Amino acid sequence: MGEYVLEMNNITKVFPGVKALDNVSLKVRPGSVHALMGENGAGKSTLMKCLFGIYQEDGGEIILDGKRENITSSKQALDLGVSMIHQELHPIRFRPVMENIWLGRFPMMGIAVDKKAMIRKTKELFKEIELDINPEVLAGSLSASNLQLVEIAKAVSYNSKIIIMDEPTSSLTDNETEHLFKIIRQLKAGGCAIIYISHKMEEILKIADEVTIMRDGQYVGTWPAGELTTDLIISRMVGRDMTNRFPPRTHTPGKEVVLKVTDLCSPLKRSFQHVSFELHRGEILGIGGLVGAQRTEVVEALFGLRTIESGEVEKDGEVFKVKSVQDAKRHGIALLTEERRATGVFGILSVLDNTVIASQKNYANKGVLQKRKRVKAAEESNRQLNVKTPSLETLMQNLSGGNQQKVLIARWLLTHPDILILDEPTRGIDVGAKYEIYTIMLDLVKQGKSIIMISSEMPELLGISDRIMVMCEGRVSGVLNRDEADQIKVMQLATKFAQ
């Protein structure tokens, strides 16, 4: 074997209306962690999909173990020793965990599947990477973080020479991330190469040996991780100095209470209980807490997606019952969900359809949709939010994560809400796109709208919120004003009942 287990030389990939990759090169050494970084839309995932046989490159060459390969399918990539953990998880939810892992390569006994052998092999695999999950439970019953760990186990099960990890920690807690790093070190010691895509700078600097940075579909450079700092990575990713991660604050929220929640309880005893808070006009109220604090459950209840057993919701001084999404929308409440791919984006529909889908009735005349009205509304809202798309007819799935998120915000703004609930609005989005989302949020509160933002990123909570409500184990453990909040106080409140 030569110095590199993988060489991707001058890879080019063109989609209709956009050159996704322009002569990009990547060289990866065996037994190393090679981080691949860049803003959303830089072409990282596209490059990896060329390596994994999902896309065919239009130019360039892929060399594995010194031999040029023409990879035309994922099966061929796996046979050549390349496996991939995708950013968006697509488990077969109604089948057991073990079947999800060995799909397409079940152990057989004659013409029948050898279930005992499958259980044994899965247990051995889980023992090897210290994963405590029952192989026979349904995949759909697992949390997002456990599903992510199962995907990691599946990739390990192929005994690959190269494992591509695309945002592997987006659903993981700090402890689970440490567990993943332990697995990565094991794989490295066995000579496996890891290509690691993440927006989390601290992770990259902790785990990577080398870092390749891409920008706008082009190769910027490769450096030893030890020579890099967070600021250096950001400036090379965005091509400009980002001294401020957050836009300047020039707005002060009003005193007027637009939403008052009193003693909100879920019928599920392990969910949220006795939650009370107020939201003021022109305010960004951040909601902090650890995984399992029931933050998402509370906002989904306010949007009519979950049952409320008791408690009161007041909007502009008037008590109303939230029994459905229609109730919430009628009272000017909009929700941008945490899992944008699963519950927000219609990938095979156009940017136009994705933008206007929540406000279709506004563009209908006697039941007939008026295309000109739809196009005008979509053009205007996408221009205001600076959505980068070749055209409104472009498929939503071809936009970068940051641009998809902006389209989803545009969608809900067309319903003219007073209150916008954003659940992890910048998850999986690069620093440049984050800054744009923050600017949009600050513009909205200046216009008198109010925002509730759930975030698991401490700098974001502290940097953009006017007040921070912290939850722990389904209850509100405290509320901090912007000028008194810091990382230690938020973490103390986030673990208040769990200590």
Side-chain angles (χ1 to χ4, degrees), residues 246-490:
F246 302 97
R249 305 293 299 267
T250 56
H251 170 72
T252 307
K255 295 269 192 286
E256 182 189 349
V257 175
V258 288
L259 187 74
K260 186 176 181 184
V261 174
T262 310
D263 210 27
L264 207 65
C265 294
S266 163
L268 305 170
K269 291 295 165 239
R270 294 189 62 178
S271 189
F272 59 90
Q273 300 296 329
H274 308 294
V275 170
S276 300
F277 66 91
E278 290 181 348
L279 175 69
H280 301 110
R281 187 169 302 287
E283 176 182 42
I284 298 175
L285 175 68
I287 306 185
L290 302 175
V291 172
Q294 305 294 307
R295 299 167 298 168
T296 293
E297 287 75 3
V298 168
V299 297
E300 286 183 347
L302 293 175
F303 194 61
L305 291 171
R306 289 180 185 267
T307 309
I308 296 169
E309 184 168 76
S310 60
E312 235 176 38
V313 180
E314 277 181 59
K315 167 87 193 310
D316 296 325
E318 176 198 337
V319 175
F320 77 102
K321 297 273 182 225
V322 197
K323 291 189 173 171
S324 68
V325 170
Q326 281 65 35
D327 288 340
K329 281 170 68 177
R330 214 170 22 250
H331 283 85
I333 299 173
L335 168 68
L336 192 68
T337 55
E338 176 182 9
E339 297 290 343
R340 69 170 173 266
R341 289 279 167 93
T343 54
V345 167
F346 299 101
I348 57 169
L349 295 182
S350 67
V351 172
L352 170 62
D353 290 332
N354 271 274
T355 307
V356 299
I357 203 160
S359 51
Q360 290 279 33
K361 66 178 191 303
N362 299 343
Y363 320 112
N365 186 11
K366 296 179 181 171
V368 179
L369 284 176
Q370 297 178 295
K371 185 171 182 185
R372 193 176 293 169
K373 269 190 170 181
R374 295 170 84 233
V375 168
K376 190 182 174 194
E379 275 178 349
E380 208 167 293
S381 56
N382 285 332
R383 190 184 65 249
Q384 283 172 349
L385 301 191
N386 194 24
V387 175
K388 295 185 183 82
T389 175
S391 84
L392 287 178
E393 295 308 318
T394 300
L395 293 188
M396 187 72 161
Q397 64 196 18
N398 290 339
L399 295 194
S400 69
N403 283 307
Q404 287 182 0
Q405 194 74 320
K406 286 193 276 185
V407 170
L408 296 185
I409 294 174
R411 173 194 296 174
W412 286 111
L413 291 181
L414 285 174
T415 66
H416 305 295
D418 304 318
I419 296 168
L420 191 57
I421 303 171
L422 306 174
D423 194 350
E424 303 287 1
T426 66
R427 170 170 287 170
I429 289 176
D430 61 77
V431 282
K434 280 183 179 184
Y435 193 91
E436 289 189 78
I437 300 274
Y438 301 145
T439 304
I440 290 164
M441 291 168 66
L442 292 175
D443 285 345
L444 291 172
V445 291
K446 275 184 203 165
Q447 293 165 28
K449 297 192 185 298
S450 305
I451 293 175
I452 296 173
M453 177 192 74
I454 294 177
S455 178
S456 299
E457 291 190 28
M458 190 71 76
E460 183 169 87
L461 264 184
L462 298 169
I464 204 76
S465 308
D466 294 301
R467 286 183 306 138
I468 299 172
M469 175 175 97
V470 187
M471 292 187 65
C472 177
E473 296 178 1
R475 295 167 187 266
V476 176
S477 49
V479 179
L480 299 166
N481 287 323
R482 178 181 173 77
D483 51 5
E484 63 174 331
D486 61 37
Q487 200 155 339
I488 292 167
K489 285 178 185 163
V490 172

Side-chain angles (χ1 to χ4, degrees), residues 139-169:
S141 69
L142 297 184
S143 66
S145 59
N146 275 336
L147 276 176
Q148 186 75 281
L149 292 169
V150 167
E151 276 296 311
I152 291 159
K154 183 177 178 178
V156 171
S157 75
Y158 285 99
N159 296 318
S160 305
K161 292 179 287 195
I162 299 168
I163 299 179
I164 304 159
M165 299 188 175
D166 194 352
E167 297 284 353
T169 63

Side-chain angles (χ1 to χ4, degrees), residues 185-212:
R185 289 184 195 107
Q186 268 177 274
L187 293 166
K188 260 180 71 170
C192 180
I194 311 288
I195 301 174
Y196 193 96
I197 300 175
S198 176
H199 291 303
K200 298 179 179 176
M201 309 286 171
E202 296 77 13
E203 276 183 15
I204 293 293
L205 295 173
K206 190 172 185 180
I207 198 72
D209 299 300
E210 290 183 288
V211 179
T212 289

Side-chain angles (χ1 to χ4, degrees), residues 175-240:
N175 284 345
E176 288 163 341
T177 298
E178 275 307 317
H179 187 183
L180 169 65
F181 287 175
K182 191 175 174 186
I183 295 168
I184 287 174
R185 289 184 195 107
Q186 268 177 274
L187 293 166
K188 260 180 71 170
C192 180
I194 311 288
I195 301 174
Y196 193 96
I197 300 175
S198 176
H199 291 303
K200 298 179 179 176
M201 309 286 171
E202 296 77 13
E203 276 183 15
I204 293 293
L205 295 173
K206 190 172 185 180
I207 198 72
D209 299 300
E210 290 183 288
V211 179
T212 289
I213 293 175
M214 294 175 65
R215 182 167 68 240
D216 299 330
Q218 296 181 326
Y219 173 78
V220 176
T222 300
W223 297 269
E227 292 178 9
L228 295 171
T229 63
T230 299
D231 289 345
L232 259 177
I233 293 172
I234 291 173
S235 65
R236 284 171 182 168
M237 270 170 56
V238 300
R240 61 189 184 278

